[in-house]
Amino acid sequence: MSTELKINPRLLRWAREECGYSPDEIASRIHVDQEEYLAWENTGTGLSLNDLVALSKACKRQIAFFFLPSIPQKTKKPTDFRNLEPPLARLSDKTLLAIRRTARFQDFLLQLHSPEYYRDRYSWLTRYRESFAGQLDSEESINWIRNLLNYPVEEQTATNIDAETSYKRWRNSVEHNLGIHVFQFAMPKVEAQGFSYSDSFPYCITINNAYPATSRTFTLFHELSHILRSQSGLCKPDDTLFRREETSIEYDCNSFAGSVLVPAKQVVPAKDKDTIFRYASKFKISSEVYLRRLFTLGFISENEFFPLLDEIRKSVLPTKPHYVASPITKSINSRGEVLFSSTLEAVNQRRIPYSLASDILGLKINYLSSSQR
C-alpha cells in the first residue's frame, strides 16, 4: 500500500502555471483524471510518491520544491513584441522553460559577480548611449559596435568560414567583448526566435536553436538592439512587417541587425534571387536579410521586394538536425562559453559545490571533473 503525501497545494498550482499548463493538460501528461489532479491542487493531499515523481518531471521541479512553505515570485517575462494573433501568442512549456532557465542563469551569475562588476562591465553601453542617443542605426553607431565586437568584414566574408562558424564568432564576441550572455534553447519555431533581458544584471539574450545559423545570427543582433534601447523583448523578427510605421520598434531592431551584418558600404545591388543568394552567402546571412538591406537602402522598390521575398521563402530548404559531439559541447552550446567557464572557475575556487555546478551546466559530476583536466 502506497503512502499518501501532504504537499503545499499553492506550490503545485504555481508550478503548473509557470509551465503554462491547464489542469487538463497536466493531468493528461501524468496520466491521471482531471478531477483527481484538481483535488491535489485544492488540498495537497491524496498523492503517492509516484504521483509526485511524475509531477516533478512534468513541471521540471525537484520533489523537495513541493514541500516549501511559501511560493516563489513568478518568473518575469520579457515584453512581447511578436506580431501574432492572440490565439497564437500563448507560450508553450518549452518556451516558458527557456525563460525560466534564463532567469535562473541570471540569478546564478549575479551571485558569482557583484552588481558593481556588471556596472563596470557595461561601461561601454553608457558611452554608446551618450554618443548615439536617437541615432542607434546611424553609420557611425554601426561602425562603433562592429569595432567593439572586433569581427572585421574581411574575416566575416572569408571563404573558409561557414554560417555556423560565423554565428559562433559573433556570439563569442557579444559575450566576451560586450559582457552580454547568449544562451540557446530549443523552442517551437512558430512561437519565438529569441528574447532578451536588459532590466536586471547581467544582460542576456536567449536564441531559439531550432533555427539555422543564419537566422540565429540575425536574431542575436535583433535582440542586441533591444538591449541597446534598454528593452527586454520576446521576438519573432521574421514576422515583422516591412514598414516602420506599422511595427516601429521591431522594424528598427531588424534594421539595426541588418546594418551590423551588412554595413551600407558593403551592399551590392541585386535584382534576382540567385544573385541575392550569392551575396547573402558571402556574409553568412540569409537571402531574406540581404533582401531587406536592398529594400531599406532603396536598391529595390516595394513592387520588386514582395515577389522576391515570396520566391526566396519558397526556395528555403528545411533545417537539418543539429548534432553535438558530447554532453560538454551541448552544455557550452546552450549556456555559452562565459557561463560555462565561470561555473568551472567557481568550482575550482570552492565558491560553489559540485552539485550546484552540475545542476547549472546540466552535466553529471564526472563530466565536470573531466572538463577541468
Side-chain angles (χ1 to χ4, degrees), residues 2-7 36 39-40 43-49 51:
S2 60
T3 303
E4 290 190 357
L5 303 171
K6 169 68 175 177
I7 65 168
E36 183 179 6
W40 299 345
T43 67
T45 60
L47 301 85
S48 68
L49 180 58
D51 293 328

Side-chain angles (χ1 to χ4, degrees), residues 70-134:
S70 59
I71 61 173
Q73 291 184 340
K74 285 186 175 293
T75 303
K76 184 177 181 180
K77 298 179 180 64
T79 303
D80 194 342
F81 288 109
R82 298 172 300 161
N83 184 34
L84 296 177
E85 296 295 326
L88 301 176
R90 181 188 175 194
L91 299 178
S92 67
D93 58 322
K94 286 188 176 181
T95 302
L96 290 170
L97 178 59
I99 291 173
R100 294 203 310 273
R101 281 177 169 172
T102 299
R104 187 173 184 222
F105 292 163
Q106 274 189 301
D107 290 342
F108 172 73
L109 286 162
L110 197 57
Q111 291 173 21
L112 292 185
H113 307 289
S114 66
E116 289 72 24
Y117 167 87
Y118 284 109
R119 287 191 190 95
D120 181 65
R121 193 72 181 84
Y122 298 136
S123 59
W124 68 267
L125 189 51
T126 301
R127 297 194 303 273
Y128 178 80
R129 288 170 177 162
E130 290 175 349
S131 300
F132 303 106

